[in-house]
Amino acid sequence: MRDERSLGFIKMTFCNNIATKNRLWAYENKILTEKANITGQKEFGLMKMTFRWYGEGDSIPLSYIRQIPGMSGVVTAVYDVPVGEVWAEDKIARLKRLCDGAGLEMEVIESVPVHEDIKQGKPTRDKLIENYAQTIRNLGKYGVKCICYNFMPVFDWLRTDLKRKNADGSTSLCYCHDTLLKLDPKNLHLPGWDESYTTEELNGLLEEYREITHEKLFDNLVYFLNGIMPACEEAGINMAIHPDDPPWDMFGLPRIVTGGESYKKMIEAVPSRRNGFTFCTGSLGAERGNDLKELAAAYADRIYFAHLRQLKYEGERDFAEAGHLTGAGDLDIYGIVKALIENGFRGYVRPDHGRNIWGENVKPGYGLYDRALGAAYLNGLFEAIEKGV
Ligand code: DNO
């Protein structure tokens, strides 16, 4: 009997003199290539492998990213514009020049953050939505095709430990629900959370959100999307909402992008093809009720961007992140990729959070080494599944 959590029938070993004749498989796959049209990819089969790059402040140089086999481009952002303001063209142009210079595309932006006033439906939102739409138009001029964003109130992704030691000496990000419940949201210094508010601002925001129910937040999301869809059409950009991470309410704040129900509601409310998803396996997978293969199959043609990563369940709501391959954790990464491919996925992919390995000193989750290993594994999965091996 095959052990699902092992590497299957083979044992992986390491030999440093294997002659590798790496060719980009996608170039060979003309038939699949011809089918790829939605996101404009012509050369890489049905998906494009990308790598998140935090701009000039990132400790990982573009030249290293370029050397990862099969990498088509980076996923990046302008980081020095306050949330709510328009991203000026010169800033976008500079970023694009850097990527071009490194031989990498810049077709995905993660994220253009959404201002809290938009999430709260304040009167100031119309001006802010207008600004967002202008940013979309500006990005479109520089070849951007997809924007990843989220609609989580106040906090983005949350973990309770960024350096949990694994048996092999690597470290991983992890989340323990009990630990989180014990934290005081008004005096929060959480790992991984960008502390962009002062304590007073944070307290004010949390107070304001008392009025915002799940329904209200969802209506505000729909209002926002309807406001920007014309700009997306004009610019040729797909919006790809990132699921809430983890996908449950935090500190009494509503979270609304949590699984299949949310996907269905979003499409019904805003049917435009420009309204789509970032399918983040680690975020959605934290909720055990989410059947990721089913979701991937049902929404493959609306998933414009896939964040692929693995996790290991440690309790009903507790998990640790793990290496990308299926055998390393509880998510069937192979099955998910298969479901995506078989149902017409044509989006961008990036290896999401890696473990910290080989003593790398980098932003938690965003080191070079483990993500590069993840990319190599994912490229292999895509090639094998697309070729029907
Ligand atoms: C975490 C990321 C998220 C994501 C945003 C998108 O590692 O996946 O921070 O970028 O939620 O807006």
Side-chain angles (χ1 to χ4, degrees):
M1 237 323 246
R2 177 173 173 179
D3 172 5
E4 285 301 327
R5 301 196 38 149
S6 76
L7 279 175
F9 296 113
I10 55 134
K11 283 203 174 175
M12 185 65 80
T13 57
F14 190 81
C15 168
N16 65 7
N17 65 357
I18 295 172
T20 48
K21 287 192 214 142
N22 278 336
R23 290 193 56 197
L24 285 176
W25 58 272
Y27 282 113
E28 298 166 356
N29 202 335
K30 298 236 167 34
I31 301 165
L32 293 177
T33 298
E34 275 160 24
K35 286 198 219 149
N37 50 20
I38 290 185
T39 47
Q41 64 263 46
K42 296 271 184 305
E43 296 160 347
F44 282 79
L46 295 176
M47 65 90 179
K48 274 189 170 185
M49 185 58 72
T50 60
F51 203 81
R52 190 170 194 182
W53 181 63
Y54 282 94
E56 288 170 275
D58 198 320
S59 59
I60 302 167
L62 286 172
S63 57
Y64 285 15
I65 298 174
R66 177 81 169 93
Q67 290 170 357
I68 304 168
M71 211 36 86
S72 70
V74 290
V75 170
T76 189
V78 168
Y79 291 98
D80 59 353
V81 173
V83 179
E85 287 180 20
V86 177
W87 289 12
E89 277 195 48
D90 61 333
K91 289 187 186 286
I92 301 170
R94 178 178 168 81
L95 211 50
K96 167 90 171 130
R97 259 198 315 277
L98 291 169
C99 296
D100 283 350
L104 290 161
E105 293 173 342
M106 190 188 82
E107 296 188 346
V108 187
I109 295 296
E110 174 175 354
S111 306
V112 181
V114 179
H115 197 281
E116 296 298 325
D117 287 8
I118 298 179
K119 297 180 204 162
Q120 293 184 3
K122 286 190 175 172
T124 40
R125 71 174 157 177
D126 290 322
K127 174 68 190 144
L128 291 162
I129 292 174
E130 217 175 276
N131 287 353
Y132 202 102
Q134 189 54 46
T135 296
I136 291 173
R137 286 190 208 96
N138 290 354
L139 288 168
K141 287 186 206 160
Y142 293 86
V144 170
K145 305 265 184 285
C146 176
I147 294 175
C148 169
Y149 70 106
N150 74 74
F151 216 74
M152 290 176 252
V154 191
F155 307 102
D156 192 334
W157 60 291
L158 291 172
R159 297 291 180 272
T160 51
D161 189 351
L162 296 185
K163 287 188 179 158
R164 162 84 77 70
K165 194 114 175 158
N166 300 313
D168 61 6
S170 62
T171 61
S172 289
L173 278 62
C174 69
Y175 176 89
C176 168
H177 199 55
D178 277 347
T179 308
L180 189 106
L181 292 179
K182 288 188 197 119
L183 297 172
D184 173 8
K186 299 198 165 171
N187 189 16
L188 211 55
H189 301 286
L190 270 182
W193 181 52
D194 154 35
E195 301 191 19
S196 37
Y197 303 106
T198 63
T199 309
E200 292 67 42
E201 283 167 344
L202 183 56
N203 288 350
L205 256 180
L206 290 170
E207 205 46 45
E208 285 172 1
Y209 267 104
R210 280 169 172 272
E211 309 293 318
I212 312 289
T213 58
H214 293 87
E215 291 69 32
K216 186 84 201 119
L217 186 63
F218 183 77
D219 290 348
N220 294 342
L221 169 61
V222 172
Y223 186 94
F224 164 67
L225 283 171
N226 283 330
I228 60 169
M229 284 296 111
C232 290
E233 254 338 304
E234 205 182 302
I237 288 183
N238 292 327
M239 295 301 292
I241 196 164
H242 190 284
D244 303 339
D245 183 8
W248 46 74
D249 292 359
M250 283 289 160
F251 307 122
L253 294 163
R255 288 191 154 193
I256 54 169
V257 189
T258 55
E261 249 332 282
S262 338
Y263 276 20
K264 186 162 169 280
K265 269 180 78 177
M266 273 191 73
I267 291 181
E268 277 168 10
V270 185
S272 163
R273 299 284 322 169
R274 298 289 171 197
N275 173 29
F277 307 109
T278 294
F279 189 70
C280 176
T281 56
S283 306
L284 292 167
E287 171 57 62
R288 293 176 183 223
N290 282 330
D291 182 332
L292 298 189
K293 286 181 265 189
E294 203 177 287
L295 268 176
Y299 294 97
D301 68 335
R302 287 275 187 157
I303 294 173
Y304 297 129
F305 189 22
H307 284 183
L308 299 178
R309 73 176 151 87
Q310 181 59 286
L311 44 85
K312 256 184 200 293
Y313 298 126
E314 301 192 320
E316 199 44 48
R317 288 201 153 170
D318 305 332
F319 59 85
E321 299 186 357
H324 295 81
L325 77 171
T326 300
D330 289 310
L331 303 182
D332 180 4
I333 301 293
Y334 163 80
I336 293 164
V337 170
K338 191 161 184 283
L340 284 172
I341 292 172
E342 287 176 351
N343 291 282
F345 171 73
R346 286 161 170 71
Y348 299 90
V349 172
R350 74 168 175 78
D352 201 9
H353 303 176
R355 299 160 303 148
N356 187 289
I357 61 172
W358 304 336
E360 204 180 4
N361 182 17
V362 278
K363 196 174 171 64
Y366 287 95
L368 172 66
Y369 305 147
D370 204 35
R371 285 189 299 151
L373 291 177
Y377 167 68
L378 294 169
N379 276 324
L381 273 190
F382 271 88
E383 175 175 0
I385 297 168
E386 289 190 5
K387 286 180 173 169
V389 178

